[in-house]
Amino acid sequence: MNNVKIIQPEIFKKFPELKFGVSTKSGGDDEPPYYFNLSYRVGDNADRVKRNRKLFFDKLGIKETRVSFQKQTHSTKSNIVTEPAFYEDSDALYTNE
């Protein structure tokens, strides 16, 4: 498997309690058109997505069970997150936890 490349902006280093990263095409074992896909909703092989997610979250030092996901809809709907979950039809997630 390739090395996982995650973009981690410098500004977040001021807040060590936050884990933040943006995935790139680098990593995992996917080939075009999926590359390092982290979504179960685009037709990629589910086992590959599971492996890619593990690589991604391990690199960030967090457990996937602590992550909230959304089906982004490019709308005005946002959801407050109080525990890890999946949110349908959402454009933003936020928390004070």
Side-chain angles (χ1 to χ4, degrees), residues 4 22 35 44-45 48 55 57 62-64 67 71 78:
V4 175
V22 178
Y35 298 99
D44 197 358
N45 177 284
R48 274 193 229 146
L55 288 168
F57 293 123
I62 57 178
K63 295 179 182 179
E64 184 176 350
V67 176
K71 178 183 176 191
S78 60

Side-chain angles (χ1 to χ4, degrees), residues 3 22 36 43 50-51 53-54 61 70 72 74 79 88:
N3 290 329
V22 178
F36 186 51
K50 185 176 182 176
R51 284 192 304 268
R53 283 185 175 196
K54 180 169 179 13
Q70 70 179 6
Q72 190 171 20
H74 303 290
N79 291 291
E88 289 280 348

